[in-house]
């Protein structure tokens, strides 16, 4: 099993700015997923990127994956106050079952 | 459509008691996960079911914890002789396979007094 480690631990930005969060992992992966969690709620799946993909978009979200550096990034463009949440990356080992979450990045978007 | 449902949403009990936490996954989802989350931390993996069988239970912290999924849909996480350190939010997620997105419930907040 392996854990994704998010960086930074916390990020505070103004509404309208872009937010970038990074994730590093240690071994080969099948895919890597990003999730968002609002306070007191369960996690919400944002994007899944497979090991043979380099970039993926969904609305204001852009995810990149660099398997040579074992890293991924999540970019949220034109952030909104409603984007305030914790964001987690979840790498899935090749052949693995378990998803190991890191401590996440806490994003605060000021209106 | 209906999402993942977890009951109860809150559970307060005394140390030493037995508790059961229930998860109703999205209909048709074969994969089911249990996690435990403490304040300020990410979810901690407990167990993964593929159908009725536990494909990976390596995250269960000790033998006081047990989970079942007898008919491949609803799952119950059982905790015996609860301890104060078991206090956490217990999250359930379901999906269409181990490498597919997971859909989470809002969790059961367990407090052991």
């Amino acid at each position: 099993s392996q854990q994704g480690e998010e960086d930074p631990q916390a990020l505070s930005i103004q509404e309208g700015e872009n937010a970038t969060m990074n994730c590093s992992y240690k071994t080969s992966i099948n895919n890597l997923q990003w999730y968002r969690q609002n306070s007191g709620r369960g996690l919400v799946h944002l994007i899944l990127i497979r090991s043979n993909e380099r970039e993926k978009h969904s609305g204001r979200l852009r995810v990149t994956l660099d398997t040579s550096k074992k890293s991924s990034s999540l970019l949220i463009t034109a952030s909104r106050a409603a984007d305030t949440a914790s964001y987690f990356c979840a790498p899935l080992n090749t052949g693995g079952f378990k998803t190991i979450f890191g401590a996440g990045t806490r994003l605060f978007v000021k209106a | 459509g209906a999402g993942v449902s977890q009951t109860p949403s809150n559970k307060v009990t005394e140390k030493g008691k037995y508790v059961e936490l229930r998860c109703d996954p999205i209909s048709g989802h074969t994969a089911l996960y249990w996690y435990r989350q403490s304040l300020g931390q990410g979810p901690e993996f407990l167990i993964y079911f593929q159908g009725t069988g536990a494909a990976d239970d390596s995250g269960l912290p000790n033998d006081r914890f047990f989970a079942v999924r007898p008919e491949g849909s609803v799952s119950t996480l059982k905790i015996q002789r609860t301890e104060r350190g078991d206090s956490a939010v217990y999250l359930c997620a379901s999906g269409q396979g181990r490498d597919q997105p997971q859909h989470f419930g809002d969790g059961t907040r367990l407090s052991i007094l």
Side-chain angles (χ1 to χ4, degrees):
Chain A
S1 62
Q2 69 171 321
Q3 176 180 2
E5 294 187 6
E6 298 88 353
D7 173 68
Q9 290 185 330
L11 181 60
S12 182
I13 59 174
Q14 291 291 140
E15 207 168 29
E17 293 180 341
N18 295 342
T20 299
M21 288 158 271
N22 303 297
C23 170
S24 60
Y25 57 92
K26 292 187 169 57
T27 61
S28 64
I29 60 170
N30 176 292
N31 66 50
L32 185 143
Q33 301 180 41
W34 284 92
Y35 289 83
R36 182 189 76 226
Q37 185 177 34
N38 291 90
S39 181
R41 305 298 300 274
L43 280 71
V44 173
H45 179 262
L46 297 176
I47 287 186
L48 181 153
I49 186 164
R50 300 199 180 278
S51 58
N52 61 352
E53 297 176 310
R54 292 296 167 259
E55 189 170 309
K56 213 159 179 183
H57 298 254
S58 176
R60 294 184 295 111
L61 306 181
R62 172 178 169 250
V63 166
T64 62
L65 180 65
D66 187 335
T67 53
S68 66
K69 294 182 179 176
K70 294 186 170 54
S71 67
S72 174
S73 68
L74 170 66
L75 168 68
I76 304 174
T77 60
S79 63
R80 305 167 182 168
D83 295 328
T84 294
S86 292
Y87 291 82
F88 298 91
C89 72
L92 180 67
N93 274 7
T94 303
F97 295 109
K98 64 173 67 173
T99 308
I100 307 294
F101 290 91
T105 292
R106 283 162 190 73
L107 173 66
F108 182 65
V109 181
K110 293 177 280 190
Chain B
V4 176
S5 175
Q6 292 189 246
T7 53
S9 54
N10 284 283
K11 177 73 176 177
V12 181
T13 192
E14 293 179 342
K15 178 173 174 279
K17 299 291 188 185
Y18 168 83
V19 296
E20 287 190 352
L21 311 179
R22 177 186 168 106
C23 174
D24 283 83
I26 292 172
S27 178
H29 279 188
T30 56
L32 187 145
Y33 306 77
W34 282 100
Y35 297 90
R36 177 169 71 174
Q37 187 174 27
S38 300
L39 193 63
Q41 300 297 314
E44 173 194 2
F45 171 85
L46 296 177
I47 188 169
Y48 164 70
F49 286 92
Q50 181 58 41
T52 60
D56 188 336
D57 65 356
S58 61
L60 296 176
N62 51 60
D63 61 6
R64 295 186 298 105
F65 287 75
F66 190 71
V68 295
R69 195 186 184 198
E71 296 176 358
S73 57
V74 171
S75 177
T76 305
L77 178 65
K78 308 179 182 195
I79 310 175
Q80 298 178 321
R81 304 183 304 281
T82 51
E83 300 177 356
R84 293 199 178 89
D86 299 335
S87 296
V89 175
Y90 288 80
L91 294 167
C92 175
S94 71
Q96 295 180 321
R98 68 168 186 87
D99 61 348
Q100 297 299 313
Q102 297 177 39
H103 302 264
F104 282 78
D106 284 337
T108 292
R109 183 173 300 277
L110 178 65
S111 300
I112 308 299
L113 303 180

